[in-house]
């Protein structure tokens, strides 16, 4: 069964059936990466353009490897953070790329809504690799995959998401996916970094980490963008770490089988202590491995869909 | 070509004279010379306009237009903006000073008026800057601006943050009895926000502008209006909190007037769902609760003016990431039908709608326009209230097409516009206005 859609723009748009299909497909692709010859011919002759308007190593590499392991041709384009810098509009940039007959355009941009803008005018499949504070659907999918893999079932799990929810596309994608599957989600962070009306998404909001962590099955720690301090969202990194940093004492409040996740890259000693990042509860590297498999699945399923 | 025009059988609505009756209207030598139930054919050559089934109202006045001249002629010119104005039923537009250079001195005011005389189809009344370069630091030479033809002052778009400067500006403006028009926005609260802060900004991951960005400045301006006794006009009001503050200020007898724009009583932030940059403006489209409050404020007279905040931007500027696209939408060609809709929905009477587009704004700027009296300059708009039409970018006279209403079906339209006794031809036949 293929995915009957042209683009992957948000988790919200996907049904549970579609997510199940993506995760099952990803599971079967995991094996490919463990072979001696890590390549299958599924996307031979297809062209993938990674169009990254924001610096990224992990996500871009993951999409690049995913394409290459499926035998697609992959080109990486790192554009300036705003197309206006080059005085070319983003639509012109994208149309120029498509004129070279791309099949997939993977786009990351600091402005929310750019993948939608491109998907509306391009024939290529558009995969959102992170747009502003809006969505990061492949991250949401790989987090669901990691949780399912380790816990079996998502329904009923107590998930705590900690940090800068306001500016986080990962939080938005994770919340939508987790709520779809019936998890009990609580977001915790300083109120200056909690977006207005997030309760409407079916999550609880807590300002106190110790209270939120009691009995947690999953803790998703978000990366703190260090420049937020200069905007005054919190006084100092030290104080942030004091109130919302995950350390061993706090981890002890959670369920003994708790999983600690982080989308990376980690600010060690700020949002997450090293002992936890490297400890037994951490599944951070499993997330990275699953990310590759999820992105292979997305390329594969969208490509199948386009042939039907 | 005759200088006599007889408008026969229209429903004349003139709120300033509390007139609402079917009657004839005669124009001679550019001024209104007669209004009565039946006017006999005048001597000599004359033109008759059959106005049966039409509304005959004072030419509409827009208190808040960005002509973009000088400096941004790629967005709009005086020729294109005034064609858009005429097409929308406006015979007078007040142009905001955030041009390049800023209209903060006599030379720029004169340039605008000279260009308007040369290529404008409707009357242009400039608004001068409050401070030099609209930098919010030193007062612009207000006497010079007024003598050159400015009817108000405003640092629209670059609001005066320093409250002491604003106090001084208001106090000084009392010499000339001109209104100080404020774009109420606390730029620090707006920060890098792009849309209204609320559920839509959270869902879309866009930085929010809190409603308090407007209301704290409305509150400040009301306090300063009371302190200085100046005439203060609050531009493009968009939030429930502001309406409440203005309503209370008026009860206290403070000389404050207010305008809103059709988009604030027609749309909410839900219009941003598709990341449509043609729904991005300042103040931002707010919640449905705010829209309800704006409607209530119009209905009870708290808001006495409907203005367009016509803000043209080129398509290459708007077709960008929503974060980068400039704030502002055009409005001259859609304001009338969107306002008439308020009659259909029972918010306002027809006469009230016309008042907020004619004598309401005329009163704010203290000009003897927006009325149909014997001897008044013949600025008259004939409206077909029943015609249905679709807003098409290709039909718009404005050089820019940044409207969220493109594709909408509208009811009601200006069918004939008369400026100083001259009938503009080709209003909406897709051709060029003459």
């Amino acid at each position: 069964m293929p995915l009957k859609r042209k683009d992957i723009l948000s988790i919200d748009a996907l049904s549970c059936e579609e997510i199940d299909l993506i995760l099952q497909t990803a599971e079967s692709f995991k094996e490919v990466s463990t072979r001696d010859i890590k390549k299958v011919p599924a996307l031979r002759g297809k062209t993938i353009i990674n169009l990254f308007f924001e610096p990224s190593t992990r996500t871009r590499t993951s999409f690049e490897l995913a394409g290459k392991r499926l035998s697609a041709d992959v080109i990486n384009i790192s554009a300036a953070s705003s197309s206006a810098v080059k005085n070319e509009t983003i639509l012109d940039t994208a149309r120029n790329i498509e004129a070279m007959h791309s099949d997939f355009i993977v786009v990351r941009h600091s402005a929310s809504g750019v993948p939608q803008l491109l998907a509306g005018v391009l024939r290529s499949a558009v995969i959102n690799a992170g747009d502003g504070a809006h969505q990061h659907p492949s991250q949401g999918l790989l987090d669901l995959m990691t949780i399912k893999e380790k816990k079996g079932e998502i329904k009923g799990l107590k998930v705590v998401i900690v940090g800068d929810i306001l500016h986080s596309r990962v939080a938005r994608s994770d919340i939508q996916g987790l709520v779809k599957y019936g998890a009990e989600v609580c977001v915790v962070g300083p109120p200056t970094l909690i977006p207005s009306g997030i309760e409407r998404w079916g999550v609880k909001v807590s300002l106190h980490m110790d209270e939120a962590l009691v009995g947690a099955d999953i803790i998703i720690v978000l990366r703190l963008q260090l420049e937020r301090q200069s905007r005054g969202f919190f006084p100092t990194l030290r104080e942030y770490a004091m109130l919302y940093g995950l350390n061993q004492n706090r981890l002890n409040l959670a369920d003994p089988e708790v999983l600690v996740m982080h989308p990376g890259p980690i600010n060690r000693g700020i949002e997450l202590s090293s002992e936890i990042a490297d400890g037994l509860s951490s599944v951070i590297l499993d997330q990275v491995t699953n990310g590759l498999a999820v992105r292979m699945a997305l390329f594969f399923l969208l490509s199948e869909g386009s042939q039907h | 070509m005759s200088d006599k025009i007889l408008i026969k059988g229209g429903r004349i609505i003139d709120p300033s004279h509390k007139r609402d009756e079917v009657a004839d209207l005669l124009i001679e030598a550019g001024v209104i010379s007669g209004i009565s139930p039946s006017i006999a054919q005048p001597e000599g050559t004359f033109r008759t306009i059959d106005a049966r089934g039409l509304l005959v109202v004072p030419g509409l006045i827009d208190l808040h237009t960005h002509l973009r001249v000088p400096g941004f002629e790629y967005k709009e010119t005086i020729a294109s903006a005034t064609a858009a104005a005429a097409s929308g039923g406006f015979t007078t537009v007040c142009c905001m000073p955030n041009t390049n250079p800023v209209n903060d001195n006599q030379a720029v005011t004169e340039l605008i008026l000279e260009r308007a005389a040369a290529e404008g189809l409707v009357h242009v009344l400039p608004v001068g800057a409050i401070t030099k370069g609209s930098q919010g630091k030193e007062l612009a030479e207000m006497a010079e601006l007024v003598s050159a033809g400015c009817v108000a002052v405003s640092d629209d778009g670059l609001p005066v943050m320093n409250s002491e400067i604003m106090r001084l500006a208001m106090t000084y403006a009392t010499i000339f009895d001109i209104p100080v028009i404020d774009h109420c926005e606390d730029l620090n609260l707006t920060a890098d926000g792009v849309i209204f802060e609320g559920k839509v900004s959270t869902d879309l991951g866009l930085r929010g502008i809190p409603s308090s960005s407007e209301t704290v400045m409305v509150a400040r301006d009301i306090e300063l209006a009371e302190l200085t006794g100046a005439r203060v006009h609050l531009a493009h009001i968009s939030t429930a909190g502001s309406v409440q503050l203005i309503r209370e200020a008026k009860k206290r007898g403070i000389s404050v007037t207010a305008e809103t724009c059709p988009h604030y009583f027609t749309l909410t932030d839900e219009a941003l769902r598709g990341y449509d940059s043609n729904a991005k403006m300042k103040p931002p489209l707010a919640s449905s609760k705010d829209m309800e409050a704006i409607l209530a404020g119009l209905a009870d007279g708290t808001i006495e003016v409907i203005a367009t905040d016509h803000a043209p931007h080129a398509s290459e500027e708007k077709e960008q990431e929503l974060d980068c696209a400039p704030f502002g939408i055009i409005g001259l060609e859609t304001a009338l039908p969107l306002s008439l809709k308020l009659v259909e929905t029972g918010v306002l009477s027809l006469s009230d709608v016309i008042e907020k587009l004619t004598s309401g704004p005329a009163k704010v700027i203290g000009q003897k326009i927006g009325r149909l009296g014997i001897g008044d300059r013949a600025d008259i708009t004939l409206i077909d209230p029943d015609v249905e039409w679709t807003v098409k970018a290709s039909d718009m006279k404005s050089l820019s097409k940044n409207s969220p209403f493109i594709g909408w079906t509208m009811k009601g339209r200006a069918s004939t516009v008369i400026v100083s006794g001259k009938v503009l031809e080709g209003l909406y036949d897709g051709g060029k206005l003459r």
Side-chain angles (χ1 to χ4, degrees):
Chain A
M1 189 179 75
L3 269 181
K4 289 190 184 64
R5 57 174 64 246
K6 177 178 155 284
D7 313 295
I8 300 289
L9 302 178
S10 74
I11 291 285
D12 199 30
L14 299 171
S15 66
C16 284
E17 290 69 36
E18 287 176 298
I19 296 174
D20 286 339
L21 172 67
I22 294 165
L23 300 191
Q24 282 157 17
T25 311
E27 206 59 56
S28 63
F29 274 130
K30 262 182 103 168
E31 182 266 337
V32 173
S33 295
T34 62
R35 295 181 193 171
D36 271 352
I37 296 170
K38 303 177 179 61
K39 219 173 181 75
V40 290
L43 259 64
R44 207 173 53 191
K46 299 281 181 190
T47 303
I48 296 169
I49 310 283
N50 281 332
L51 182 57
F52 277 54
F53 292 90
E54 245 187 7
S56 160
T57 307
R58 179 180 323 242
T59 306
R60 187 187 53 70
T61 306
S62 183
F63 272 108
E64 182 177 355
L65 269 181
K68 286 183 168 164
R69 290 201 175 153
L70 295 170
S71 305
D73 298 312
V74 185
I75 303 293
N76 293 315
I77 298 174
S78 297
S81 63
S82 163
S83 51
V85 172
K86 291 184 299 174
N87 208 23
E88 183 182 45
T89 70
I90 186 155
L91 289 177
D92 281 338
T93 306
R95 285 183 184 124
N96 273 279
I97 289 165
E98 188 169 72
M100 300 175 208
H101 297 288
S102 56
D103 298 290
F104 296 91
I105 292 185
V106 180
V107 63
R108 165 169 289 194
H109 201 289
S110 59
S112 302
V114 165
Q116 280 85 332
L117 183 69
L118 299 189
V121 298
L122 299 181
R123 291 182 308 277
S124 305
V126 174
I127 299 180
N128 180 0
D131 64 324
H134 179 224
Q135 285 280 314
H136 191 351
S138 61
Q139 179 76 41
L141 290 165
L142 74 89
D143 286 347
L144 289 174
M145 179 175 178
T146 307
I147 295 169
K148 270 199 162 172
E149 214 173 59
K150 304 285 176 188
K151 294 285 186 185
E153 178 88 39
I154 293 174
K155 194 174 166 61
L157 288 180
K158 188 176 174 195
V159 183
V160 178
I161 304 178
V162 188
D164 178 1
I165 313 293
L166 180 65
H167 301 97
S168 177
R169 52 195 175 215
V170 175
R172 282 177 176 73
S173 286
D174 278 348
I175 291 169
Q176 288 177 351
L178 290 163
V179 169
K180 257 182 216 289
Y181 279 92
E184 188 190 306
V185 182
C186 175
V187 297
V188 58
T192 47
L193 291 172
I194 305 277
S196 141
I198 192 72
E199 300 86 352
R200 240 178 10 93
W201 288 32
V203 302
K204 280 194 291 193
V205 175
S206 172
L207 308 181
H208 306 288
M209 185 118 172
D210 291 356
E211 176 187 291
L213 287 181
V214 175
D217 297 300
I218 311 283
I219 306 170
I220 299 174
V221 182
L222 299 173
R223 174 177 166 78
L224 186 72
Q225 301 289 333
L226 301 182
E227 66 269 20
R228 302 294 176 218
Q229 185 198 339
S230 60
R231 275 289 314 278
F233 287 102
F234 51 88
T236 57
L237 290 171
R238 180 174 160 273
E239 186 154 306
Y240 180 87
M242 201 170 86
L243 289 172
Y244 301 103
L246 185 61
N247 54 35
Q248 192 58 50
N249 285 342
R250 288 201 164 120
L251 192 65
N252 292 340
L253 299 166
D255 185 86
E257 303 288 306
V258 69
L259 303 180
V260 175
M261 302 171 72
H262 190 293
I266 305 167
N267 297 302
R268 286 178 182 253
I270 298 174
E271 70 260 14
L272 196 58
S273 71
S274 278
E275 51 182 345
I276 297 177
D278 304 327
L280 293 173
S281 308
S282 167
V283 292
I284 295 169
L285 296 176
D286 300 83
Q287 289 175 270
V288 177
T289 306
N290 287 339
L292 179 60
V294 157
R295 289 165 183 133
M296 289 172 78
L298 290 177
F299 285 135
F300 178 75
L301 292 168
L302 287 178
S303 172
E304 289 281 288
S306 71
Q307 284 160 17
H308 285 73
Chain B
M1 166 103 192
S2 159
D3 65 352
K4 291 178 192 169
I5 302 164
L6 180 58
I7 302 171
K8 294 271 310 169
R11 177 176 166 192
I12 299 179
I13 301 177
D14 177 14
S16 69
H17 292 97
K18 303 212 180 315
R19 185 194 296 274
D20 183 352
E21 61 178 344
V22 174
D24 298 347
L25 187 149
L26 182 65
I27 300 165
E28 289 180 280
V31 299
I32 297 168
S33 62
I35 302 175
S36 79
S38 181
I39 297 178
Q41 296 193 354
E43 302 274 311
T45 57
F46 64 95
R47 174 175 179 173
T48 306
I49 297 174
D50 181 359
R52 283 173 298 173
L54 303 180
L55 311 177
V56 179
V57 307
L60 310 185
I61 301 163
D62 186 22
L63 269 193
H64 204 125
T65 302
H66 295 274
L67 290 181
R68 300 299 191 211
V69 176
F72 304 101
E73 289 81 358
Y74 69 97
K75 295 176 195 259
E76 192 81 285
T77 63
I78 289 185
S80 65
T82 54
S87 176
F90 291 90
T91 58
T92 301
V93 295
C94 299
C95 60
M96 285 295 161
N98 58 339
T99 47
N100 185 18
V102 169
N103 182 14
D104 62 358
N105 64 74
Q106 184 176 345
V108 178
T109 305
E110 283 173 354
L111 172 85
I112 293 167
L113 289 172
E114 276 165 25
R115 294 249 187 106
E119 59 183 84
L121 290 166
V122 305
H123 306 292
V124 171
L125 298 175
V127 175
I130 296 173
T131 62
K132 287 178 185 156
S134 287
Q135 294 297 302
K137 295 191 179 106
E138 295 170 76
L139 295 189
E141 289 175 298
M142 220 181 273
E144 185 183 271
L145 287 166
V146 170
S147 70
C150 288
V151 294
V153 288
S154 178
D155 275 356
D156 187 61
L158 290 161
V160 180
M161 284 297 101
N162 182 323
S163 300
E164 201 222 352
I165 298 287
M166 193 53 151
R167 176 200 176 165
L168 295 171
M170 287 185 189
T171 306
Y172 196 72
T174 59
I175 305 173
F176 316 102
D177 194 31
I178 54 166
V180 176
I181 302 178
D182 198 20
H183 161 129
C184 296
E185 178 187 10
D186 183 323
L187 295 173
N188 297 307
L189 275 172
T190 295
D192 51 5
V194 290
I195 72 166
F196 185 74
E197 182 177 302
K199 62 179 184 178
V200 177
S201 68
T202 294
D203 289 357
L204 297 186
L206 291 167
R207 291 182 296 277
I209 300 173
S211 61
S212 51
S213 172
E214 177 176 282
T215 51
V216 299
M217 295 308 264
V218 168
R220 177 197 77 170
D221 287 350
I222 287 169
E223 290 303 311
L224 293 180
E226 185 170 33
L227 178 68
T228 62
R231 288 169 51 205
V232 174
H233 178 70
L234 305 176
H236 44 55
I237 290 304
S238 68
T239 69
S242 300
V243 174
Q244 186 56 28
L245 286 166
I246 297 162
R247 186 178 287 130
E248 284 163 11
K250 287 186 166 176
K251 274 190 199 143
R252 282 158 58 201
I254 299 169
S255 62
V256 56
T257 54
E259 83 193 22
T260 191
C261 310
H263 38 284
Y264 301 122
F265 59 71
T266 308
L267 298 172
T268 66
D269 57 353
E270 292 293 329
L272 271 306
R273 288 267 180 216
Y275 293 94
D276 179 7
S277 63
N278 285 341
K280 178 184 175 186
M281 79 291 286
K282 266 186 183 175
L285 294 172
S287 70
S288 54
K289 180 182 80 84
D290 294 294
M291 193 177 84
E292 292 303 319
I294 295 294
L295 291 167
L298 283 165
D300 72 6
T302 301
I303 299 171
E304 52 268 88
V305 173
I306 296 173
T308 69
D309 197 3
H310 180 84
H313 291 294
S315 62
E316 64 270 20
E317 295 174 305
K318 276 294 196 179
E319 285 172 11
Q320 289 194 77
E321 305 86 313
L322 195 73
D323 281 351
C324 306
F327 293 93
I329 64 168
I330 56 170
L332 285 167
E333 293 168 83
T334 49
L336 175 60
L338 291 170
S339 302
L340 288 173
K341 183 101 183 149
L342 299 174
V343 180
E344 208 172 293
T345 52
V347 176
L348 292 176
S349 68
L350 187 52
S351 169
D352 287 342
V353 168
I354 300 305
E355 183 172 8
K356 289 177 200 294
L357 289 163
T358 57
S359 50
K363 209 169 147 190
V364 170
I365 50 174
Q367 300 289 307
K368 291 173 180 153
I369 54 176
R371 60 187 199 188
L372 302 176
I374 305 299
D376 284 340
R377 188 174 71 197
D379 294 336
I380 299 171
T381 297
L382 273 60
I383 300 168
D384 182 341
D386 300 316
V387 63
E388 291 200 3
W389 59 286
T390 302
V391 184
K392 289 190 192 128
S394 56
D395 291 346
M396 291 182 127
K397 311 278 186 201
S398 178
L399 204 56
S400 295
K401 316 294 177 191
N402 50 313
S403 165
F405 301 112
I406 287 168
W408 282 42
T409 299
M410 300 280 179
K411 194 174 166 197
R413 191 167 197 178
S415 60
T416 300
V417 172
I418 300 168
V419 181
S420 297
K422 182 173 177 281
V423 179
L424 295 181
E425 307 286 350
L427 208 53
Y428 57 84
D429 58 6
K432 206 171 147 60
L433 272 161
R434 300 178 293 283

